PDB file of all heavy atoms in Angstrom:
ATOM      1  N   ASP A 551     -15.131 -34.434 -11.831  1.00 95.00           N
ATOM      2  CA  ASP A 551     -15.395 -34.215 -10.412  1.00 95.00           C
ATOM      3  C   ASP A 551     -15.454 -35.551  -9.675  1.00 95.00           C
ATOM      4  O   ASP A 551     -16.169 -36.449 -10.067  1.00 95.00           O
ATOM      5  CB  ASP A 551     -16.735 -33.444 -10.260  1.00 95.00           C
ATOM      6  CG  ASP A 551     -16.890 -32.865  -8.860  1.00 95.00           C
ATOM      7  OD1 ASP A 551     -16.019 -32.079  -8.456  1.00 95.00           O
ATOM      8  OD2 ASP A 551     -17.886 -33.209  -8.184  1.00 95.00           O
ATOM      9  N   GLY A 552     -14.664 -35.661  -8.590  1.00 96.00           N
ATOM     10  CA  GLY A 552     -14.672 -36.870  -7.782  1.00 96.00           C
ATOM     11  C   GLY A 552     -13.661 -37.906  -8.178  1.00 96.00           C
ATOM     12  O   GLY A 552     -13.599 -39.007  -7.584  1.00 96.00           O
ATOM     13  N   GLU A 553     -12.837 -37.602  -9.155  1.00 97.00           N
ATOM     14  CA  GLU A 553     -11.836 -38.569  -9.632  1.00 97.00           C
ATOM     15  C   GLU A 553     -10.553 -38.389  -8.834  1.00 97.00           C
ATOM     16  O   GLU A 553     -10.089 -37.262  -8.580  1.00 97.00           O
ATOM     17  CB  GLU A 553     -11.551 -38.328 -11.109  1.00 97.00           C
ATOM     18  CG  GLU A 553     -10.621 -39.364 -11.735  1.00 97.00           C
ATOM     19  CD  GLU A 553     -10.473 -39.175 -13.253  1.00 97.00           C
ATOM     20  OE1 GLU A 553     -10.122 -38.036 -13.643  1.00 97.00           O
ATOM     21  OE2 GLU A 553     -10.729 -40.118 -13.980  1.00 97.00           O
ATOM     22  N   PRO A 554      -9.874 -39.505  -8.443  1.00 98.00           N
ATOM     23  CA  PRO A 554      -8.606 -39.403  -7.745  1.00 98.00           C
ATOM     24  C   PRO A 554      -7.526 -38.771  -8.645  1.00 98.00           C
ATOM     25  O   PRO A 554      -7.572 -38.911  -9.843  1.00 98.00           O
ATOM     26  CB  PRO A 554      -8.239 -40.863  -7.453  1.00 98.00           C
ATOM     27  CG  PRO A 554      -9.560 -41.587  -7.463  1.00 98.00           C
ATOM     28  CD  PRO A 554     -10.383 -40.909  -8.503  1.00 98.00           C
ATOM     29  N   LEU A 555      -6.608 -38.099  -7.994  1.00 97.00           N
ATOM     30  CA  LEU A 555      -5.544 -37.379  -8.731  1.00 97.00           C
ATOM     31  C   LEU A 555      -4.734 -38.305  -9.642  1.00 97.00           C
ATOM     32  O   LEU A 555      -4.457 -37.925 -10.783  1.00 97.00           O
ATOM     33  CB  LEU A 555      -4.593 -36.729  -7.673  1.00 97.00           C
ATOM     34  CG  LEU A 555      -3.368 -36.002  -8.251  1.00 97.00           C
ATOM     35  CD1 LEU A 555      -3.725 -34.876  -9.191  1.00 97.00           C
ATOM     36  CD2 LEU A 555      -2.525 -35.454  -7.103  1.00 97.00           C
ATOM     37  N   ALA A 556      -4.365 -39.488  -9.149  1.00 97.00           N
ATOM     38  CA  ALA A 556      -3.576 -40.402 -10.013  1.00 97.00           C
ATOM     39  C   ALA A 556      -4.342 -40.802 -11.249  1.00 97.00           C
ATOM     40  O   ALA A 556      -3.761 -40.863 -12.364  1.00 97.00           O
ATOM     41  CB  ALA A 556      -3.194 -41.612  -9.186  1.00 97.00           C
ATOM     42  N   ASP A 557      -5.620 -41.068 -11.129  1.00 97.00           N
ATOM     43  CA  ASP A 557      -6.444 -41.437 -12.288  1.00 97.00           C
ATOM     44  C   ASP A 557      -6.540 -40.287 -13.277  1.00 97.00           C
ATOM     45  O   ASP A 557      -6.504 -40.489 -14.491  1.00 97.00           O
ATOM     46  CB  ASP A 557      -7.830 -41.902 -11.835  1.00 97.00           C
ATOM     47  CG  ASP A 557      -7.791 -43.180 -11.053  1.00 97.00           C
ATOM     48  OD1 ASP A 557      -6.742 -43.802 -10.990  1.00 97.00           O
ATOM     49  OD2 ASP A 557      -8.852 -43.546 -10.491  1.00 97.00           O
ATOM     50  N   THR A 558      -6.658 -39.086 -12.767  1.00 97.00           N
ATOM     51  CA  THR A 558      -6.757 -37.920 -13.618  1.00 97.00           C
ATOM     52  C   THR A 558      -5.463 -37.743 -14.380  1.00 97.00           C
ATOM     53  O   THR A 558      -5.464 -37.449 -15.583  1.00 97.00           O
ATOM     54  CB  THR A 558      -7.043 -36.647 -12.770  1.00 97.00           C
ATOM     55  OG1 THR A 558      -8.259 -36.827 -12.059  1.00 97.00           O
ATOM     56  CG2 THR A 558      -7.138 -35.414 -13.667  1.00 97.00           C
ATOM     57  N   GLU A 559      -4.319 -37.872 -13.699  1.00 97.00           N
ATOM     58  CA  GLU A 559      -3.041 -37.748 -14.363  1.00 97.00           C
ATOM     59  C   GLU A 559      -2.893 -38.776 -15.456  1.00 97.00           C
ATOM     60  O   GLU A 559      -2.449 -38.435 -16.593  1.00 97.00           O
ATOM     61  CB  GLU A 559      -1.914 -37.887 -13.317  1.00 97.00           C
ATOM     62  CG  GLU A 559      -1.741 -36.696 -12.429  1.00 97.00           C
ATOM     63  CD  GLU A 559      -0.555 -36.843 -11.484  1.00 97.00           C
ATOM     64  OE1 GLU A 559      -0.041 -37.965 -11.318  1.00 97.00           O
ATOM     65  OE2 GLU A 559      -0.120 -35.842 -10.922  1.00 97.00           O
ATOM     66  N   LEU A 560      -3.210 -39.999 -15.188  1.00 96.00           N
ATOM     67  CA  LEU A 560      -3.122 -41.082 -16.190  1.00 96.00           C
ATOM     68  C   LEU A 560      -3.978 -40.797 -17.397  1.00 96.00           C
ATOM     69  O   LEU A 560      -3.574 -40.968 -18.564  1.00 96.00           O
ATOM     70  CB  LEU A 560      -3.458 -42.438 -15.561  1.00 96.00           C
ATOM     71  CG  LEU A 560      -2.399 -43.074 -14.677  1.00 96.00           C
ATOM     72  CD1 LEU A 560      -2.961 -44.287 -13.963  1.00 96.00           C
ATOM     73  CD2 LEU A 560      -1.159 -43.463 -15.497  1.00 96.00           C
ATOM     74  N   ARG A 561      -5.191 -40.369 -17.156  1.00 96.00           N
ATOM     75  CA  ARG A 561      -6.137 -40.118 -18.242  1.00 96.00           C
ATOM     76  C   ARG A 561      -5.687 -38.969 -19.077  1.00 96.00           C
ATOM     77  O   ARG A 561      -5.754 -38.984 -20.318  1.00 96.00           O
ATOM     78  CB  ARG A 561      -7.549 -39.884 -17.648  1.00 96.00           C
ATOM     79  CG  ARG A 561      -8.628 -39.676 -18.705  1.00 96.00           C
ATOM     80  CD  ARG A 561     -10.008 -39.645 -18.056  1.00 96.00           C
ATOM     81  NE  ARG A 561     -10.098 -38.685 -16.966  1.00 96.00           N
ATOM     82  CZ  ARG A 561     -10.300 -37.391 -17.113  1.00 96.00           C
ATOM     83  NH1 ARG A 561     -10.423 -36.886 -18.344  1.00 96.00           N
ATOM     84  NH2 ARG A 561     -10.395 -36.630 -16.054  1.00 96.00           N
ATOM     85  N   LEU A 562      -5.247 -37.850 -18.447  1.00 96.00           N
ATOM     86  CA  LEU A 562      -4.847 -36.685 -19.202  1.00 96.00           C
ATOM     87  C   LEU A 562      -3.509 -36.871 -19.905  1.00 96.00           C
ATOM     88  O   LEU A 562      -3.280 -36.277 -20.971  1.00 96.00           O
ATOM     89  CB  LEU A 562      -4.772 -35.428 -18.276  1.00 96.00           C
ATOM     90  CG  LEU A 562      -6.062 -35.031 -17.592  1.00 96.00           C
ATOM     91  CD1 LEU A 562      -5.829 -33.729 -16.814  1.00 96.00           C
ATOM     92  CD2 LEU A 562      -7.167 -34.816 -18.627  1.00 96.00           C
ATOM     93  N   ALA A 563      -2.623 -37.693 -19.326  1.00 95.00           N
ATOM     94  CA  ALA A 563      -1.298 -37.856 -19.910  1.00 95.00           C
ATOM     95  C   ALA A 563      -1.340 -38.675 -21.198  1.00 95.00           C
ATOM     96  O   ALA A 563      -0.618 -38.420 -22.152  1.00 95.00           O
ATOM     97  CB  ALA A 563      -0.372 -38.513 -18.905  1.00 95.00           C
ATOM     98  N   GLY A 564      -2.244 -39.659 -21.251  1.00 91.00           N
ATOM     99  CA  GLY A 564      -2.285 -40.514 -22.451  1.00 91.00           C
ATOM    100  C   GLY A 564      -0.991 -41.258 -22.607  1.00 91.00           C
ATOM    101  O   GLY A 564      -0.557 -42.012 -21.718  1.00 91.00           O
ATOM    102  N   ASP A 565      -0.305 -41.041 -23.716  1.00 92.00           N
ATOM    103  CA  ASP A 565       0.953 -41.672 -23.990  1.00 92.00           C
ATOM    104  C   ASP A 565       2.182 -40.946 -23.384  1.00 92.00           C
ATOM    105  O   ASP A 565       3.317 -41.446 -23.467  1.00 92.00           O
ATOM    106  CB  ASP A 565       1.188 -41.837 -25.492  1.00 92.00           C
ATOM    107  CG  ASP A 565       0.150 -42.746 -26.153  1.00 92.00           C
ATOM    108  OD1 ASP A 565      -0.344 -43.646 -25.431  1.00 92.00           O
ATOM    109  OD2 ASP A 565      -0.169 -42.525 -27.324  1.00 92.00           O
ATOM    110  N   ARG A 566       1.920 -39.816 -22.784  1.00 92.00           N
ATOM    111  CA  ARG A 566       3.006 -39.031 -22.214  1.00 92.00           C
ATOM    112  C   ARG A 566       3.301 -39.463 -20.768  1.00 92.00           C
ATOM    113  O   ARG A 566       2.437 -40.064 -20.108  1.00 92.00           O
ATOM    114  CB  ARG A 566       2.669 -37.544 -22.216  1.00 92.00           C
ATOM    115  CG  ARG A 566       2.493 -36.919 -23.594  1.00 92.00           C
ATOM    116  CD  ARG A 566       2.074 -35.455 -23.455  1.00 92.00           C
ATOM    117  NE  ARG A 566       0.749 -35.323 -22.856  1.00 92.00           N
ATOM    118  CZ  ARG A 566       0.292 -34.200 -22.310  1.00 92.00           C
ATOM    119  NH1 ARG A 566       1.082 -33.158 -22.265  1.00 92.00           N
ATOM    120  NH2 ARG A 566      -0.904 -34.155 -21.803  1.00 92.00           N
TER     121      ARG A 566
END
Side-chain angles (χ1 to χ4, degrees):
D551 196 57
E553 186 175 54
L555 175 60
D557 293 351
T558 302
E559 287 183 344
L560 283 171
R561 182 171 53 82
L562 297 185
D565 296 331
R566 296 177 295 161

